[in-house]
């Protein structure tokens, strides 16, 4: 059973590694980005509200995300553990999650922070080519990350929950480092 949060800039490998750990530890991989992209593809009300923010690299407003996370973490499969990827993304989401995890009695074990230099992030994302992976939007995502998400590093470090991993290595080596942390 693991309950962990992935932190790191766009392109750091959060989704890639969360997916590996989800299989290895048999717990759901909960990606707010994936949930939002599905909503956009389905043209649901959530998707229609979120799309313009996503296309410009801004965070979607908290009120679109918070209920969705509460609903997802209280589904039955999340009772056996979870890996959060892309949430929380700012201090108010982190405070919301804190209260929610107390309410549902599901403490988070650790926060895995993937560290990768900006030039590597940009080239990985340009190569991937998702809709929000063009140079202008990537640069804005990095600005938004520095301003809104990076403060969470100190937030979690001050609670002794943060473990930083070098994400600028081959995928298998990153996965091995992560497993070592989780099994220690
Ligand atoms: P989201 O989907 O969360 O995107 P992101 O944080 O920008 O993350 P990425 O998916 O780009 O990167 P990643 O770290 O997961 O890397 P990946 O494994 O994919 O969010 C998208 C948008 O949704 C946001 O901009 C926002 O609008 C909205 N949103 C989502 N959550 C929100 C929230 N909580 N609040 C508000 N808004 C929210 O890897 C990237 C590439 O690199 C891949 O091609 C991969 O194959 C490659 N790669 C990975 N690891 C390695 C490696 N070790 N070596 C070489 N290549 C690698």
């Amino acid at each position: 059973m693991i309950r962990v949060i992935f932190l790191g800039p766009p392109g750091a490998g959060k989704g890639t590694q969360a997916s590996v750990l989800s299989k290895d530890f048999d717990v759901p991989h909960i990606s707010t980005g994936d949930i939002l992209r599905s909503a956009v593809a389905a043209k649901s009300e959530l998707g229609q509200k979120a799309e313009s923010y996503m296309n410009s690299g801004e965070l979607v407003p908290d009120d679109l995300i918070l209920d969705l996370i509460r609903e997802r973490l209280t589904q039955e499969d999340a009772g056996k553990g979870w890996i959060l990827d892309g949430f929380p993304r700012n201090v108010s989401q982190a405070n919301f999650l804190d209260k929610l995890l107390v309410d549902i009695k599901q403490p988070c074990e650790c926060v895995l922070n993937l560290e990768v230099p900006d030039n590597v992030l940009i080239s990985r994302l340009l190569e991937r080519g998702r809709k929000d992976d063009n140079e202008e939007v990537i640069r804005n995502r990095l600005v938004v990350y520095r301003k809104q998400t990076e403060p969470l590093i100190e937030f979690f470090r001050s609670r002794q929950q943060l473990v930083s991993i070098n994400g600028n290595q081959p995928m298998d080596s990153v996965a091995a480092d992560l497993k070592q942390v989780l099994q220690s």
Side-chain angles (χ1 to χ4, degrees):
M1 137 96 71
I2 56 165
R3 294 192 202 100
V4 296
I5 295 170
F6 267 102
L7 208 59
K14 304 179 295 294
T16 303
Q17 297 299 335
S19 157
V20 171
L21 292 182
S22 160
K23 289 190 191 89
D24 287 357
F25 289 86
D26 191 28
V27 295
H29 167 197
I30 302 175
S31 156
T32 43
D34 286 349
I35 294 170
L36 290 168
R37 278 183 290 279
S38 299
V40 170
K43 298 190 176 10
S44 68
E45 195 184 335
L46 169 65
Q48 287 175 23
K49 286 183 182 159
E51 190 170 14
S52 61
Y53 296 97
M54 298 173 77
N55 287 346
S56 62
E58 295 294 320
L59 296 185
V60 311
D62 286 351
D63 61 352
L64 296 185
I65 291 282
L66 301 183
D67 287 345
L68 184 154
I69 281 290
R70 179 191 299 279
E71 194 261 325
R72 184 64 190 88
L73 284 179
T74 49
Q75 282 174 16
E76 200 180 340
D77 65 339
K80 63 180 181 178
W82 37 256
I83 300 168
L84 277 182
D85 158 19
F87 187 94
R89 220 40 176 254
N90 57 31
V91 172
S92 85
Q93 292 183 8
N95 283 323
F96 169 88
L97 183 65
D98 243 9
K99 293 197 188 80
L100 174 62
L101 296 182
V102 171
D103 276 0
I104 62 177
K105 301 186 177 59
Q106 293 188 11
C108 169
E109 282 144 25
C110 72
V111 177
L112 301 164
N113 176 41
L114 295 178
E115 297 181 321
V116 177
D118 280 8
N119 61 323
V120 177
L121 298 171
I122 293 169
S123 70
R124 281 185 190 176
L125 295 175
L126 286 174
E127 200 170 314
R128 180 176 64 181
R130 204 169 69 191
K131 196 172 180 193
D132 55 347
D133 286 342
N134 63 72
E135 185 138 9
E136 191 191 339
V137 176
I138 292 170
R139 291 207 181 271
N140 192 40
R141 284 160 66 197
L142 285 169
V143 169
V144 168
Y145 168 78
R146 300 269 174 254
K147 206 166 152 191
Q148 303 200 44
T149 311
E150 205 170 50
L152 295 181
I153 292 179
E154 204 36 57
F155 180 98
F156 289 118
R157 185 183 284 135
S158 69
R159 303 151 165 240
Q160 277 101 40
Q161 280 184 299
L162 191 85
V163 181
S164 287
I165 304 281
N166 176 12
N168 189 21
Q169 333 174 52
M171 292 180 198
D172 289 353
S173 309
V174 179
D177 284 0
L178 289 167
K179 273 178 223 162
Q180 197 174 16
V181 167
L182 292 172
Q183 281 159 354
S184 66

